[in-house]
Amino acid sequence: MNARKFLQVALGIVTSIGGFLEAGSIATSAQAGAGFQFRLIWPIVLGTLLLIFLIEMSGRLAAMSQKPLPAAVRERFGFNFFIVPLIAGCIVDFLVLGSEVGGASYGLQLVTGISFRVWAIPVVFAAWLLLWNGTFGIIEYGVSTLGLITLVFAVAAVKLRPDWLHVAAGVLPTLPQHHAANYWFLVVSILGATVSPFLFNFYSSGAVEDKWTEKQLPENRLTAAIGMSFGGLLSIAVLVCAACVLFPNASQAQTYDQIQQIVVEPLGPAAHYIFGATLFIACLGAMTEVSLDSAYVCAQGFGWNWGENKSPRDTPQFSLLFSFFLISSAIFSLLGVSPLGLTIFSMAFTTLILPLIVLPFLVLMNDEHYIGPHGNGWFTNSVVFFAILLASILALVAIPLEIFGASPS
């Protein structure tokens, strides 16, 4: 690999790590650690493994077909089929975007002491300005690189000196010893936070914007494997911090004020502001990606001009779409809806719709018309299919149990 390609891969991995952790991963991992110590590391590992496959597949599809995932699904299956995952994806994106706006606003509340409800509109306006005037490179490399501030969780985890053998044991699935409904609901939420459809939709659209070809396939594999693996380790670091700080005292992780203690205790009072800044930057980056994903999916499905690298004048519907999603998603924060509560449930419902997105994706990855000689092998097909099937079954069972049965305690 020459120096230029090595730099591209390194930058891709860095931005993948910086862009991985956002409100969903922080909230679900923190609640898992606070409630069940290290026992819920395994769904993070499972979700990260599945995400590696899906990210690599989305990049491969874009490079070989020059089509992003939503456009390929629309072409292959027709609009009457496409409208179902389109509507489901837009609803979930709207909920996730609302949780990210709330998370970014709450980060500023922690830093300034001013209510997150006041910050909602300024946060949305800042993200809109970034999208309206920026390019895909700025979103992909600039904002995601700032997201490396989330490495603070890794530093805190190391400083807390957990029993690493005990941590490693959490990689193996176990049955819950208490609060079974909440346990399985958190499993579903963690999977939704890790395997969010916006991640691979955004990735495939970005690959098309960057004009990837077959030559980029090796870099694509490295970026997916290494970047997502390190991102998953950051989620585990959040869980470890919560397990060490909150679990021993039976403390809850029901608000970001409580979650901030997982870095304040090992790193000192100043970490209060670091956590606030981390939450703001991580969620701001996710806001831009989710907004673009919503616009990408709709514009590609309806055949409109799209592209963050193009002027809004050349992509009026696309630009109107990300503007609409961003502005309307502020309603949750303005109404005072708990950002953390919205995050947990939006992650769970994300898992519920995964089959609608992933199963057509698998068909495309075995269609020579789109993928040429680089189709999936039996192992990739099997891992993705059975992981999605397992996640869906868990979601169908755990979500009603959590809503109508036990509550977190």
Side-chain angles (χ1 to χ4, degrees), residues 77-144:
F77 295 94
F79 186 78
N80 288 338
F81 175 89
F82 178 76
I83 194 67
V84 176
L86 171 65
I87 293 172
C90 284
I91 291 172
V92 168
D93 273 1
F94 181 63
L95 294 173
V96 172
L97 192 52
S99 72
E100 302 296 348
V101 171
S105 302
Y106 214 98
L108 291 177
Q109 175 178 314
L110 291 172
V111 172
T112 66
I114 300 172
S115 171
F116 75 95
R117 298 173 69 173
V118 175
W119 284 113
I121 296 301
V123 162
V124 164
F125 184 63
W128 178 82
L129 279 178
L130 190 60
L131 291 175
W132 192 265
N133 297 301
T135 64
F136 186 83
I138 290 175
I139 305 300
E140 183 181 23
Y141 298 123
V143 179
S144 294

Side-chain angles (χ1 to χ4, degrees), residues 20-342:
F20 188 99
L21 209 65
E22 35 68 59
S25 296
I26 294 172
T28 56
S29 297
Q31 288 202 355
F36 300 96
Q37 203 173 26
F38 305 118
R39 294 186 184 90
L40 284 175
I41 289 177
W42 69 266
I44 299 178
V45 174
L46 175 62
T48 302
L49 177 64
L50 180 57
L51 184 61
I52 289 171
F53 280 102
L54 292 171
I55 289 291
E56 188 279 329
M57 285 163 49
S58 63
R60 181 158 34 106
L61 173 68
M64 296 305 299
S65 69
Q66 302 305 306
K67 291 181 176 67
L69 175 58
V73 171
R74 163 72 167 82
E75 180 182 89
R76 173 67 171 77
F77 295 94
F79 186 78
N80 288 338
F81 175 89
F82 178 76
I83 194 67
V84 176
L86 171 65
I87 293 172
C90 284
I91 291 172
V92 168
D93 273 1
F94 181 63
L95 294 173
V96 172
L97 192 52
S99 72
E100 302 296 348
V101 171
S105 302
Y106 214 98
L108 291 177
Q109 175 178 314
L110 291 172
V111 172
T112 66
I114 300 172
S115 171
F116 75 95
R117 298 173 69 173
V118 175
W119 284 113
I121 296 301
V123 162
V124 164
F125 184 63
W128 178 82
L129 279 178
L130 190 60
L131 291 175
W132 192 265
N133 297 301
T135 64
F136 186 83
I138 290 175
I139 305 300
E140 183 181 23
Y141 298 123
V143 179
S144 294
T145 301
L146 287 176
L148 287 175
I149 191 175
T150 54
L151 288 169
V152 67
F153 293 110
V155 175
V158 171
K159 195 157 186 179
L160 284 165
R161 297 182 179 179
D163 181 344
W164 292 109
L165 288 177
H166 196 183
V167 173
V171 173
L172 299 176
T174 57
L175 294 175
Q177 298 176 346
H178 62 284
H179 304 310
N182 188 227
Y183 177 94
W184 292 114
F185 181 74
L186 279 174
V187 169
V188 170
S189 297
I190 289 170
L191 290 173
T194 309
V195 196
S196 292
F198 83 84
L199 290 169
F200 43 93
N201 281 338
F202 178 83
Y203 189 84
S204 70
S205 297
V208 172
E209 294 224 48
D210 288 340
K211 298 179 172 58
W212 281 16
T213 66
E214 190 174 0
K215 294 180 180 179
Q216 272 71 48
L217 292 183
E219 295 109 280
N220 173 53
R221 284 192 290 270
L222 286 172
T223 300
I226 301 176
M228 297 306 112
S229 294
F230 273 105
L233 287 174
L234 281 180
S235 292
I236 292 174
V238 175
L239 186 150
V240 168
C241 290
C244 291
V245 174
L246 301 178
F247 180 81
N249 302 316
S251 299
Q252 299 296 307
Q254 301 300 319
T255 68
Y256 285 117
D257 293 282
Q258 294 169 331
I259 292 176
Q260 69 168 325
Q261 294 302 317
I262 69 176
V263 293
V264 170
E265 182 168 311
L267 302 180
H272 164 86
Y273 299 100
I274 297 174
F275 177 83
T278 300
L279 186 61
F280 168 70
I281 293 172
C283 292
L284 179 67
M287 285 170 59
T288 59
E289 293 186 6
V290 178
S291 301
L292 283 178
D293 174 62
S294 303
Y296 280 141
V297 173
C298 292
Q300 291 161 11
F302 285 99
W304 298 328
N305 286 337
W306 60 275
E308 179 61 8
N309 288 332
K310 297 179 181 178
S311 165
R313 186 178 302 173
D314 298 326
T315 56
Q317 296 98 332
F318 174 77
S319 301
L320 181 63
L321 282 166
F322 70 64
S323 300
F324 169 76
F325 273 95
L326 257 179
I327 294 168
S328 60
S329 66
I331 187 66
F332 296 103
S333 294
L334 292 174
L335 293 175
V337 175
S338 165
L340 204 64
L342 178 62

